[in-house]
Amino acid sequence: MAGIVCRNFDRADETRPFEDGKGRLDLLDTPHGPVGRAVFEPGWRWSTHVKPLAGTDSCMAAHVGYMVSGRMKIVMDDGETDEAGPGDFISIAPGHDAWVVGDEPAVTLDWVGFGEYAKQ
């Protein structure tokens, strides 16, 4: 394994678009596993724009990541809610819905849950 790995999401190994052009997932394959940058456009909602790809009632991916920009509301299946914004660390268990809050794209980095996310 190389001593330094320096990659750019603008040259991702794979890009997965969301339904209706409401964003995309840029995925890098790294020696430590997949790392993703997701760009969620205003109006994006998991239950509308990823659920058809996932085929589950709620998002069953665990996420551990960082909010780069924008805001996102997260609602767990049990009703627990929170809102994440720029600079926030996020850890989200499987079983949730989420959507963009406001007019700015929400950009997140995730090093746990994006390997199979929005895969067609």
Side-chain angles (χ1 to χ4, degrees):
M1 175 169 35
I4 297 173
V5 176
C6 183
R7 305 282 311 279
N8 190 299
F9 284 104
D10 291 335
R11 292 183 298 283
D13 294 310
E14 183 180 358
T15 296
R16 299 176 188 161
F18 301 140
E19 294 283 315
D20 300 329
K22 287 292 184 183
R24 70 184 188 283
L25 168 63
D26 300 316
L27 198 63
L28 298 177
D29 295 321
T30 79
H32 305 285
V35 178
R37 173 184 67 182
V39 178
F40 304 101
E41 297 294 338
W44 176 90
R45 185 177 185 127
W46 184 91
S47 54
T48 302
H49 300 102
V50 179
K51 181 178 179 175
L53 301 171
T56 56
D57 288 335
S58 60
C59 181
M60 298 312 293
H63 302 285
V64 176
Y66 175 78
M67 290 291 299
V68 176
S69 61
R71 299 202 65 76
M72 188 168 276
K73 178 80 170 189
I74 302 118
V75 178
M76 300 301 297
D77 290 349
D78 68 3
E80 179 184 1
T81 68
D82 209 336
E83 190 171 306
D88 287 343
F89 166 82
I90 53 175
S91 178
I92 307 166
H96 58 273
D97 194 3
W99 56 88
V100 173
V101 175
D103 297 333
E104 180 183 357
V107 178
T108 65
L109 301 178
D110 187 322
W111 48 90
V112 171
F114 280 164
E116 297 299 313
Y117 191 82
K119 198 170 193 175
Q120 296 195 27

mmCIF file with all atom_site columns, all heavy atoms in Angstrom, residues 16-36:
data_model
loop_
_atom_site.group_PDB
_atom_site.id
_atom_site.type_symbol
_atom_site.label_atom_id
_atom_site.label_alt_id
_atom_site.label_comp_id
_atom_site.label_asym_id
_atom_site.label_entity_id
_atom_site.label_seq_id
_atom_site.pdbx_PDB_ins_code
_atom_site.Cartn_x
_atom_site.Cartn_y
_atom_site.Cartn_z
_atom_site.occupancy
_atom_site.B_iso_or_equiv
_atom_site.pdbx_formal_charge
_atom_site.auth_seq_id
_atom_site.auth_comp_id
_atom_site.auth_asym_id
_atom_site.auth_atom_id
_atom_site.pdbx_PDB_model_num
ATOM 1   N N   . ARG A 1 16 ? -22.828 8.169  -9.174  1.00 0.00 ? 16 ARG A N   1
ATOM 2   C CA  . ARG A 1 16 ? -24.184 7.618  -9.203  1.00 0.00 ? 16 ARG A CA  1
ATOM 3   C C   . ARG A 1 16 ? -25.184 8.768  -9.104  1.00 0.00 ? 16 ARG A C   1
ATOM 4   O O   . ARG A 1 16 ? -25.278 9.421  -8.072  1.00 0.00 ? 16 ARG A O   1
ATOM 5   C CB  . ARG A 1 16 ? -24.394 6.658  -8.036  1.00 0.00 ? 16 ARG A CB  1
ATOM 6   C CG  . ARG A 1 16 ? -23.450 5.480  -8.056  1.00 0.00 ? 16 ARG A CG  1
ATOM 7   C CD  . ARG A 1 16 ? -23.647 4.614  -6.830  1.00 0.00 ? 16 ARG A CD  1
ATOM 8   N NE  . ARG A 1 16 ? -22.610 3.589  -6.756  1.00 0.00 ? 16 ARG A NE  1
ATOM 9   C CZ  . ARG A 1 16 ? -22.294 2.931  -5.661  1.00 0.00 ? 16 ARG A CZ  1
ATOM 10  N NH1 . ARG A 1 16 ? -22.961 3.166  -4.537  1.00 0.00 ? 16 ARG A NH1 1
ATOM 11  N NH2 . ARG A 1 16 ? -21.344 2.028  -5.678  1.00 0.00 ? 16 ARG A NH2 1
ATOM 12  N N   . PRO A 1 17 ? -25.936 9.014  -10.160 1.00 0.00 ? 17 PRO A N   1
ATOM 13  C CA  . PRO A 1 17 ? -26.926 10.100 -10.114 1.00 0.00 ? 17 PRO A CA  1
ATOM 14  C C   . PRO A 1 17 ? -28.161 9.686  -9.315  1.00 0.00 ? 17 PRO A C   1
ATOM 15  O O   . PRO A 1 17 ? -28.526 8.508  -9.283  1.00 0.00 ? 17 PRO A O   1
ATOM 16  C CB  . PRO A 1 17 ? -27.281 10.326 -11.587 1.00 0.00 ? 17 PRO A CB  1
ATOM 17  C CG  . PRO A 1 17 ? -26.995 9.014  -12.241 1.00 0.00 ? 17 PRO A CG  1
ATOM 18  C CD  . PRO A 1 17 ? -25.872 8.382  -11.472 1.00 0.00 ? 17 PRO A CD  1
ATOM 19  N N   . PHE A 1 18 ? -28.803 10.666 -8.671  1.00 0.00 ? 18 PHE A N   1
ATOM 20  C CA  . PHE A 1 18 ? -30.060 10.434 -7.979  1.00 0.00 ? 18 PHE A CA  1
ATOM 21  C C   . PHE A 1 18 ? -31.213 10.681 -8.936  1.00 0.00 ? 18 PHE A C   1
ATOM 22  O O   . PHE A 1 18 ? -31.048 11.340 -9.972  1.00 0.00 ? 18 PHE A O   1
ATOM 23  C CB  . PHE A 1 18 ? -30.193 11.352 -6.758  1.00 0.00 ? 18 PHE A CB  1
ATOM 24  C CG  . PHE A 1 18 ? -29.095 11.188 -5.737  1.00 0.00 ? 18 PHE A CG  1
ATOM 25  C CD1 . PHE A 1 18 ? -28.566 12.286 -5.101  1.00 0.00 ? 18 PHE A CD1 1
ATOM 26  C CD2 . PHE A 1 18 ? -28.599 9.936  -5.414  1.00 0.00 ? 18 PHE A CD2 1
ATOM 27  C CE1 . PHE A 1 18 ? -27.560 12.144 -4.157  1.00 0.00 ? 18 PHE A CE1 1
ATOM 28  C CE2 . PHE A 1 18 ? -27.588 9.780  -4.478  1.00 0.00 ? 18 PHE A CE2 1
ATOM 29  C CZ  . PHE A 1 18 ? -27.074 10.895 -3.847  1.00 0.00 ? 18 PHE A CZ  1
ATOM 30  N N   . GLU A 1 19 ? -32.397 10.160 -8.600  1.00 0.00 ? 19 GLU A N   1
ATOM 31  C CA  . GLU A 1 19 ? -33.592 10.332 -9.421  1.00 0.00 ? 19 GLU A CA  1
ATOM 32  C C   . GLU A 1 19 ? -33.864 11.813 -9.674  1.00 0.00 ? 19 GLU A C   1
ATOM 33  O O   . GLU A 1 19 ? -33.602 12.665 -8.812  1.00 0.00 ? 19 GLU A O   1
ATOM 34  C CB  . GLU A 1 19 ? -34.806 9.715  -8.705  1.00 0.00 ? 19 GLU A CB  1
ATOM 35  C CG  . GLU A 1 19 ? -34.740 8.208  -8.545  1.00 0.00 ? 19 GLU A CG  1
ATOM 36  C CD  . GLU A 1 19 ? -35.062 7.461  -9.821  1.00 0.00 ? 19 GLU A CD  1
ATOM 37  O OE1 . GLU A 1 19 ? -36.035 7.816  -10.500 1.00 0.00 ? 19 GLU A OE1 1
ATOM 38  O OE2 . GLU A 1 19 ? -34.325 6.513  -10.133 1.00 0.00 ? 19 GLU A OE2 1
ATOM 39  N N   . ASP A 1 20 ? -34.405 12.119 -10.836 1.00 0.00 ? 20 ASP A N   1
ATOM 40  C CA  . ASP A 1 20 ? -34.842 13.474 -11.211 1.00 0.00 ? 20 ASP A CA  1
ATOM 41  C C   . ASP A 1 20 ? -33.718 14.503 -11.202 1.00 0.00 ? 20 ASP A C   1
ATOM 42  O O   . ASP A 1 20 ? -33.982 15.696 -11.063 1.00 0.00 ? 20 ASP A O   1
ATOM 43  C CB  . ASP A 1 20 ? -35.981 13.955 -10.302 1.00 0.00 ? 20 ASP A CB  1
ATOM 44  C CG  . ASP A 1 20 ? -37.202 13.061 -10.372 1.00 0.00 ? 20 ASP A CG  1
ATOM 45  O OD1 . ASP A 1 20 ? -37.458 12.473 -11.440 1.00 0.00 ? 20 ASP A OD1 1
ATOM 46  O OD2 . ASP A 1 20 ? -37.908 12.957 -9.351  1.00 0.00 ? 20 ASP A OD2 1
ATOM 47  N N   . GLY A 1 21 ? -32.473 14.063 -11.315 1.00 0.00 ? 21 GLY A N   1
ATOM 48  C CA  . GLY A 1 21 ? -31.358 15.006 -11.357 1.00 0.00 ? 21 GLY A CA  1
ATOM 49  C C   . GLY A 1 21 ? -31.166 15.788 -10.074 1.00 0.00 ? 21 GLY A C   1
ATOM 50  O O   . GLY A 1 21 ? -30.606 16.882 -10.085 1.00 0.00 ? 21 GLY A O   1
ATOM 51  N N   . LYS A 1 22 ? -31.612 15.242 -8.944  1.00 0.00 ? 22 LYS A N   1
ATOM 52  C CA  . LYS A 1 22 ? -31.541 15.957 -7.659  1.00 0.00 ? 22 LYS A CA  1
ATOM 53  C C   . LYS A 1 22 ? -30.225 15.727 -6.927  1.00 0.00 ? 22 LYS A C   1
ATOM 54  O O   . LYS A 1 22 ? -30.154 15.886 -5.713  1.00 0.00 ? 22 LYS A O   1
ATOM 55  C CB  . LYS A 1 22 ? -32.715 15.568 -6.759  1.00 0.00 ? 22 LYS A CB  1
ATOM 56  C CG  . LYS A 1 22 ? -34.033 16.156 -7.201  1.00 0.00 ? 22 LYS A CG  1
ATOM 57  C CD  . LYS A 1 22 ? -34.036 17.657 -7.015  1.00 0.00 ? 22 LYS A CD  1
ATOM 58  C CE  . LYS A 1 22 ? -35.371 18.258 -7.367  1.00 0.00 ? 22 LYS A CE  1
ATOM 59  N NZ  . LYS A 1 22 ? -35.346 19.700 -7.252  1.00 0.00 ? 22 LYS A NZ  1
ATOM 60  N N   . GLY A 1 23 ? -29.186 15.389 -7.646  1.00 0.00 ? 23 GLY A N   1
ATOM 61  C CA  . GLY A 1 23 ? -27.890 15.252 -7.019  1.00 0.00 ? 23 GLY A CA  1
ATOM 62  C C   . GLY A 1 23 ? -27.166 14.014 -7.504  1.00 0.00 ? 23 GLY A C   1
ATOM 63  O O   . GLY A 1 23 ? -27.583 13.338 -8.444  1.00 0.00 ? 23 GLY A O   1
ATOM 64  N N   . ARG A 1 24 ? -26.061 13.719 -6.804  1.00 0.00 ? 24 ARG A N   1
ATOM 65  C CA  . ARG A 1 24 ? -25.227 12.591 -7.219  1.00 0.00 ? 24 ARG A CA  1
ATOM 66  C C   . ARG A 1 24 ? -24.333 12.166 -6.065  1.00 0.00 ? 24 ARG A C   1
ATOM 67  O O   . ARG A 1 24 ? -24.106 12.929 -5.117  1.00 0.00 ? 24 ARG A O   1
ATOM 68  C CB  . ARG A 1 24 ? -24.360 12.987 -8.405  1.00 0.00 ? 24 ARG A CB  1
ATOM 69  C CG  . ARG A 1 24 ? -23.270 13.973 -8.036  1.00 0.00 ? 24 ARG A CG  1
ATOM 70  C CD  . ARG A 1 24 ? -22.448 14.462 -9.204  1.00 0.00 ? 24 ARG A CD  1
ATOM 71  N NE  . ARG A 1 24 ? -21.324 15.252 -8.767  1.00 0.00 ? 24 ARG A NE  1
ATOM 72  C CZ  . ARG A 1 24 ? -21.386 16.508 -8.364  1.00 0.00 ? 24 ARG A CZ  1
ATOM 73  N NH1 . ARG A 1 24 ? -22.540 17.146 -8.341  1.00 0.00 ? 24 ARG A NH1 1
ATOM 74  N NH2 . ARG A 1 24 ? -20.287 17.141 -7.983  1.00 0.00 ? 24 ARG A NH2 1
ATOM 75  N N   . LEU A 1 25 ? -23.816 10.976 -6.204  1.00 0.00 ? 25 LEU A N   1
ATOM 76  C CA  . LEU A 1 25 ? -22.810 10.448 -5.292  1.00 0.00 ? 25 LEU A CA  1
ATOM 77  C C   . LEU A 1 25 ? -21.537 10.218 -6.094  1.00 0.00 ? 25 LEU A C   1
ATOM 78  O O   . LEU A 1 25 ? -21.554 9.523  -7.110  1.00 0.00 ? 25 LEU A O   1
ATOM 79  C CB  . LEU A 1 25 ? -23.283 9.132  -4.676  1.00 0.00 ? 25 LEU A CB  1
ATOM 80  C CG  . LEU A 1 25 ? -22.238 8.321  -3.920  1.00 0.00 ? 25 LEU A CG  1
ATOM 81  C CD1 . LEU A 1 25 ? -21.724 9.095  -2.724  1.00 0.00 ? 25 LEU A CD1 1
ATOM 82  C CD2 . LEU A 1 25 ? -22.822 6.983  -3.498  1.00 0.00 ? 25 LEU A CD2 1
ATOM 83  N N   . ASP A 1 26 ? -20.448 10.825 -5.660  1.00 0.00 ? 26 ASP A N   1
ATOM 84  C CA  . ASP A 1 26 ? -19.130 10.603 -6.250  1.00 0.00 ? 26 ASP A CA  1
ATOM 85  C C   . ASP A 1 26 ? -18.378 9.671  -5.313  1.00 0.00 ? 26 ASP A C   1
ATOM 86  O O   . ASP A 1 26 ? -18.224 9.971  -4.124  1.00 0.00 ? 26 ASP A O   1
ATOM 87  C CB  . ASP A 1 26 ? -18.365 11.922 -6.402  1.00 0.00 ? 26 ASP A CB  1
ATOM 88  C CG  . ASP A 1 26 ? -19.101 12.909 -7.290  1.00 0.00 ? 26 ASP A CG  1
ATOM 89  O OD1 . ASP A 1 26 ? -19.610 12.503 -8.346  1.00 0.00 ? 26 ASP A OD1 1
ATOM 90  O OD2 . ASP A 1 26 ? -19.166 14.102 -6.921  1.00 0.00 ? 26 ASP A OD2 1
ATOM 91  N N   . LEU A 1 27 ? -17.915 8.542  -5.835  1.00 0.00 ? 27 LEU A N   1
ATOM 92  C CA  . LEU A 1 27 ? -17.328 7.506  -4.994  1.00 0.00 ? 27 LEU A CA  1
ATOM 93  C C   . LEU A 1 27 ? -15.871 7.269  -5.363  1.00 0.00 ? 27 LEU A C   1
ATOM 94  O O   . LEU A 1 27 ? -15.522 7.117  -6.539  1.00 0.00 ? 27 LEU A O   1
ATOM 95  C CB  . LEU A 1 27 ? -18.123 6.213  -5.177  1.00 0.00 ? 27 LEU A CB  1
ATOM 96  C CG  . LEU A 1 27 ? -17.979 5.137  -4.126  1.00 0.00 ? 27 LEU A CG  1
ATOM 97  C CD1 . LEU A 1 27 ? -18.475 5.631  -2.771  1.00 0.00 ? 27 LEU A CD1 1
ATOM 98  C CD2 . LEU A 1 27 ? -18.762 3.909  -4.551  1.00 0.00 ? 27 LEU A CD2 1
ATOM 99  N N   . LEU A 1 28 ? -15.020 7.238  -4.346  1.00 0.00 ? 28 LEU A N   1
ATOM 100 C CA  . LEU A 1 28 ? -13.609 6.880  -4.515  1.00 0.00 ? 28 LEU A CA  1
ATOM 101 C C   . LEU A 1 28 ? -13.369 5.520  -3.876  1.00 0.00 ? 28 LEU A C   1
ATOM 102 O O   . LEU A 1 28 ? -13.789 5.280  -2.740  1.00 0.00 ? 28 LEU A O   1
ATOM 103 C CB  . LEU A 1 28 ? -12.704 7.902  -3.816  1.00 0.00 ? 28 LEU A CB  1
ATOM 104 C CG  . LEU A 1 28 ? -12.748 9.343  -4.302  1.00 0.00 ? 28 LEU A CG  1
ATOM 105 C CD1 . LEU A 1 28 ? -11.835 10.213 -3.439  1.00 0.00 ? 28 LEU A CD1 1
ATOM 106 C CD2 . LEU A 1 28 ? -12.360 9.438  -5.761  1.00 0.00 ? 28 LEU A CD2 1
ATOM 107 N N   . ASP A 1 29 ? -12.723 4.632  -4.597  1.00 0.00 ? 29 ASP A N   1
ATOM 108 C CA  . ASP A 1 29 ? -12.277 3.373  -4.027  1.00 0.00 ? 29 ASP A CA  1
ATOM 109 C C   . ASP A 1 29 ? -10.894 3.617  -3.449  1.00 0.00 ? 29 ASP A C   1
ATOM 110 O O   . ASP A 1 29 ? -9.978  4.019  -4.168  1.00 0.00 ? 29 ASP A O   1
ATOM 111 C CB  . ASP A 1 29 ? -12.222 2.287  -5.104  1.00 0.00 ? 29 ASP A CB  1
ATOM 112 C CG  . ASP A 1 29 ? -13.595 1.956  -5.653  1.00 0.00 ? 29 ASP A CG  1
ATOM 113 O OD1 . ASP A 1 29 ? -14.555 1.921  -4.859  1.00 0.00 ? 29 ASP A OD1 1
ATOM 114 O OD2 . ASP A 1 29 ? -13.717 1.756  -6.872  1.00 0.00 ? 29 ASP A OD2 1
ATOM 115 N N   . THR A 1 30 ? -10.743 3.386  -2.136  1.00 0.00 ? 30 THR A N   1
ATOM 116 C CA  . THR A 1 30 ? -9.465  3.630  -1.473  1.00 0.00 ? 30 THR A CA  1
ATOM 117 C C   . THR A 1 30 ? -8.966  2.332  -0.837  1.00 0.00 ? 30 THR A C   1
ATOM 118 O O   . THR A 1 30 ? -9.739  1.385  -0.676  1.00 0.00 ? 30 THR A O   1
ATOM 119 C CB  . THR A 1 30 ? -9.582  4.715  -0.380  1.00 0.00 ? 30 THR A CB  1
ATOM 120 O OG1 . THR A 1 30 ? -10.168 4.134  0.791   1.00 0.00 ? 30 THR A OG1 1
ATOM 121 C CG2 . THR A 1 30 ? -10.409 5.901  -0.857  1.00 0.00 ? 30 THR A CG2 1
ATOM 122 N N   . PRO A 1 31 ? -7.709  2.285  -0.449  1.00 0.00 ? 31 PRO A N   1
ATOM 123 C CA  . PRO A 1 31 ? -7.199  1.090  0.235   1.00 0.00 ? 31 PRO A CA  1
ATOM 124 C C   . PRO A 1 31 ? -7.938  0.801  1.544   1.00 0.00 ? 31 PRO A C   1
ATOM 125 O O   . PRO A 1 31 ? -7.870  -0.301 2.071   1.00 0.00 ? 31 PRO A O   1
ATOM 126 C CB  . PRO A 1 31 ? -5.730  1.431  0.512   1.00 0.00 ? 31 PRO A CB  1
ATOM 127 C CG  . PRO A 1 31 ? -5.381  2.478  -0.490  1.00 0.00 ? 31 PRO A CG  1
ATOM 128 C CD  . PRO A 1 31 ? -6.647  3.259  -0.717  1.00 0.00 ? 31 PRO A CD  1
ATOM 129 N N   . HIS A 1 32 ? -8.650  1.795  2.071   1.00 0.00 ? 32 HIS A N   1
ATOM 130 C CA  . HIS A 1 32 ? -9.380  1.641  3.332   1.00 0.00 ? 32 HIS A CA  1
ATOM 131 C C   . HIS A 1 32 ? -10.869 1.420  3.115   1.00 0.00 ? 32 HIS A C   1
ATOM 132 O O   . HIS A 1 32 ? -11.642 1.410  4.066   1.00 0.00 ? 32 HIS A O   1
ATOM 133 C CB  . HIS A 1 32 ? -9.164  2.871  4.212   1.00 0.00 ? 32 HIS A CB  1
ATOM 134 C CG  . HIS A 1 32 ? -7.719  3.159  4.444   1.00 0.00 ? 32 HIS A CG  1
ATOM 135 N ND1 . HIS A 1 32 ? -6.933  2.423  5.301   1.00 0.00 ? 32 HIS A ND1 1
ATOM 136 C CD2 . HIS A 1 32 ? -6.899  4.084  3.897   1.00 0.00 ? 32 HIS A CD2 1
ATOM 137 C CE1 . HIS A 1 32 ? -5.695  2.884  5.281   1.00 0.00 ? 32 HIS A CE1 1
ATOM 138 N NE2 . HIS A 1 32 ? -5.646  3.892  4.436   1.00 0.00 ? 32 HIS A NE2 1
ATOM 139 N N   . GLY A 1 33 ? -11.283 1.278  1.866   1.00 0.00 ? 33 GLY A N   1
ATOM 140 C CA  . GLY A 1 33 ? -12.696 1.112  1.538   1.00 0.00 ? 33 GLY A CA  1
ATOM 141 C C   . GLY A 1 33 ? -13.238 2.333  0.813   1.00 0.00 ? 33 GLY A C   1
ATOM 142 O O   . GLY A 1 33 ? -12.543 3.331  0.635   1.00 0.00 ? 33 GLY A O   1
ATOM 143 N N   . PRO A 1 34 ? -14.496 2.267  0.381   1.00 0.00 ? 34 PRO A N   1
ATOM 144 C CA  . PRO A 1 34 ? -15.073 3.364  -0.390  1.00 0.00 ? 34 PRO A CA  1
ATOM 145 C C   . PRO A 1 34 ? -15.329 4.605  0.464   1.00 0.00 ? 34 PRO A C   1
ATOM 146 O O   . PRO A 1 34 ? -15.686 4.504  1.642   1.00 0.00 ? 34 PRO A O   1
ATOM 147 C CB  . PRO A 1 34 ? -16.391 2.790  -0.908  1.00 0.00 ? 34 PRO A CB  1
ATOM 148 C CG  . PRO A 1 34 ? -16.723 1.680  0.027   1.00 0.00 ? 34 PRO A CG  1
ATOM 149 C CD  . PRO A 1 34 ? -15.426 1.148  0.548   1.00 0.00 ? 34 PRO A CD  1
ATOM 150 N N   . VAL A 1 35 ? -15.099 5.756  -0.134  1.00 0.00 ? 35 VAL A N   1
ATOM 151 C CA  . VAL A 1 35 ? -15.394 7.047  0.485   1.00 0.00 ? 35 VAL A CA  1
ATOM 152 C C   . VAL A 1 35 ? -16.228 7.832  -0.515  1.00 0.00 ? 35 VAL A C   1
ATOM 153 O O   . VAL A 1 35 ? -15.906 7.863  -1.710  1.00 0.00 ? 35 VAL A O   1
ATOM 154 C CB  . VAL A 1 35 ? -14.106 7.823  0.838   1.00 0.00 ? 35 VAL A CB  1
ATOM 155 C CG1 . VAL A 1 35 ? -14.439 9.180  1.435   1.00 0.00 ? 35 VAL A CG1 1
ATOM 156 C CG2 . VAL A 1 35 ? -13.227 7.020  1.783   1.00 0.00 ? 35 VAL A CG2 1
ATOM 157 N N   . GLY A 1 36 ? -17.293 8.444  -0.032  1.00 0.00 ? 36 GLY A N   1
ATOM 158 C CA  . GLY A 1 36 ? -18.187 9.138  -0.946  1.00 0.00 ? 36 GLY A CA  1
ATOM 159 C C   . GLY A 1 36 ? -18.384 10.596 -0.611  1.00 0.00 ? 36 GLY A C   1
ATOM 160 O O   . GLY A 1 36 ? -18.321 11.001 0.552   1.00 0.00 ? 36 GLY A O   1
#
